[in-house]
Amino acid sequence: MSWYRNTVWFVKGLREYTRGGYESASRRFNPADVEVDVAGRSFLVTGANSGIGKATAKEIARRGGTVHLVCRNKERAEVAKEEIVTETGNQNIFLHIVDISNPKEIWKFAEKFQNEHKLNVLINNAGCMVNNRELTEDGLEKNFATNTLGTYIMTTALMPLLEKAADARVRQQVVLTEQWAKTYRNIHFSVMHPGWADTPAVRSSMPDFYERMKNSLRTEAQGADTVLWLAVSPEATKLPSGLFFQDRQPVPTHLPLAYTHSPPEDEEKLMEMLEEFSQKFKSVSPGI
């Protein structure tokens, strides 16, 4: 029975993640939520040269925000920046070349950024889906280095800057979001699922899935909608910090009967391990 129920929930969830799910959910959206002027506010978006990151950065730029694009590939990032400036007319777009899988680079970038800029909203969008085991130059598994440790260091390193800001906001991994929401009460943390969107990451990392689902996938803008809403809407911060969102609504982080909850002590251990790792790479970083 539990297998059947979870199968039903999976099929239901898959449908909700597609373009049809977005179109259905968007009927209850209030357009005014994101029709805001964010001039004077500073946003940092990682992985911003393509996909959901670029779509998010572009929409923030349309609303007058200062946008910092943090990207790994300089050539693609420059093309993305030019596109955003051209389409939005916003000249306050800054480019930073950082490999989020390289913890030493992140620490070095964050210290320099704190000395030169302010920050209101951090959007941890960069991620990877490496199917085969691959190690970074530091001997870290590539997915862990990018999706977990890199996100942890970027947020931790910029936390002092965020704590100085009015209406500071962060988006990141589920467990990190929940844990940091308990610690930093003056920063609004949230995490979201974009649904299945037609992005370069999905096309390259999940080719079979893409071929089966390509006619049903969300657009990049649809995938980015909730990120934008969480980043700019006054409505988002009326909800508690630390929640997981899909299509502008808080949703459970686990499927019913999936038994994927982690004990509190395991989550605490994860945070301790990440802190230990992050400090190790900070201490050997040149120029810090």
Side-chain angles (χ1 to χ4, degrees):
M1 181 61 71
S2 63
W3 174 86
Y4 172 76
R5 287 177 180 172
N6 278 326
T7 300
V8 170
W9 274 96
F10 174 78
V11 173
K12 178 176 180 287
L14 186 62
R15 186 168 60 247
E16 289 178 351
Y17 291 157
T18 63
R19 186 189 310 145
Y22 174 83
E23 290 169 350
S24 176
S26 65
R27 295 188 190 112
R28 59 171 165 75
F29 292 173
N30 180 1
D33 284 358
V34 292
E35 290 174 358
V36 293
D37 183 351
V38 292
R41 286 177 64 77
S42 177
F43 300 77
L44 189 154
V45 185
T46 65
N49 67 281
S50 66
I52 289 169
K54 185 173 76 171
T56 301
K58 189 179 295 184
E59 290 305 315
I60 292 170
R62 289 192 204 281
R63 290 157 176 79
T66 296
V67 185
H68 295 272
L69 312 176
V70 175
C71 308
R72 181 174 58 86
N73 184 288
K74 188 174 187 293
E75 183 178 328
R76 290 201 294 267
E78 288 175 342
V79 171
K81 176 186 174 181
E82 183 178 351
E83 179 184 323
I84 292 170
V85 171
T86 300
E87 290 192 19
T88 68
N90 188 337
Q91 299 294 321
N92 293 319
I93 311 298
F94 300 90
L95 184 58
H96 311 273
I97 305 303
V98 183
D99 184 348
I100 302 299
S101 72
N102 187 320
K104 294 186 288 293
E105 269 192 37
I106 301 171
W107 277 118
K108 187 174 182 180
F109 158 75
E111 180 169 274
K112 185 173 187 291
F113 188 90
Q114 287 189 75
N115 292 331
E116 298 176 355
H117 305 282
K118 71 170 189 173
L119 182 63
N120 297 97
V121 181
L122 169 61
I123 300 174
N124 288 304
N125 166 77
C128 66
M129 292 184 285
V130 179
N131 296 320
N132 299 314
R133 181 173 173 80
E134 183 179 330
L135 300 181
T136 68
E137 63 181 42
D138 297 301
L140 300 168
E141 193 276 323
K142 188 69 172 287
N143 290 297
F144 167 76
T146 306
N147 302 335
T148 306
L149 183 61
T151 294
Y152 179 89
I153 294 175
M154 180 67 76
T155 308
T156 299
L158 294 175
M159 204 74 80
L161 199 57
L162 287 161
E163 287 194 290
K164 298 176 185 176
D167 188 18
R169 310 185 193 190
V170 179
R171 176 204 165 243
Q172 67 229 345
Q173 299 274 11
V174 174
V175 172
L176 300 185
T177 294
E178 293 172 338
Q179 293 296 314
W180 273 327
K182 297 174 186 176
T183 305
Y184 300 95
R185 300 291 185 176
N186 61 332
I187 300 174
H188 194 271
F189 293 87
S190 53
V191 63
M192 59 78 69
H193 195 302
W196 293 112
D198 188 350
T199 65
V202 169
R203 293 194 291 271
S204 64
S205 300
M206 307 171 69
D208 293 339
F209 172 83
Y210 174 75
E211 283 302 316
R212 290 196 303 270
M213 298 294 295
K214 60 184 179 182
N215 294 326
S216 301
L217 297 177
R218 298 181 177 201
T219 66
E220 293 175 346
Q222 290 172 343
D225 177 82
T226 297
V227 187
L228 177 70
W229 184 81
L230 290 168
V232 306
S233 173
E235 296 302 309
T237 52
K238 292 179 181 178
L239 294 163
S241 181
L243 297 181
F244 176 51
F245 289 82
Q246 180 184 332
D247 292 329
R248 304 190 189 184
Q249 290 288 318
V251 295
T253 55
H254 302 271
L255 290 174
L257 305 177
Y259 305 107
T260 53
H261 289 269
S262 300
E265 56 269 25
D266 285 358
E267 295 187 357
E268 292 170 6
K269 183 65 177 177
L270 171 65
M271 300 301 285
E272 291 172 4
M273 182 195 73
L274 290 173
E275 179 62 18
E276 183 180 327
F277 263 124
S278 70
Q279 292 302 318
K280 170 187 173 183
F281 289 107
K282 181 180 181 180
S283 66
V284 299
S285 297
I288 294 182

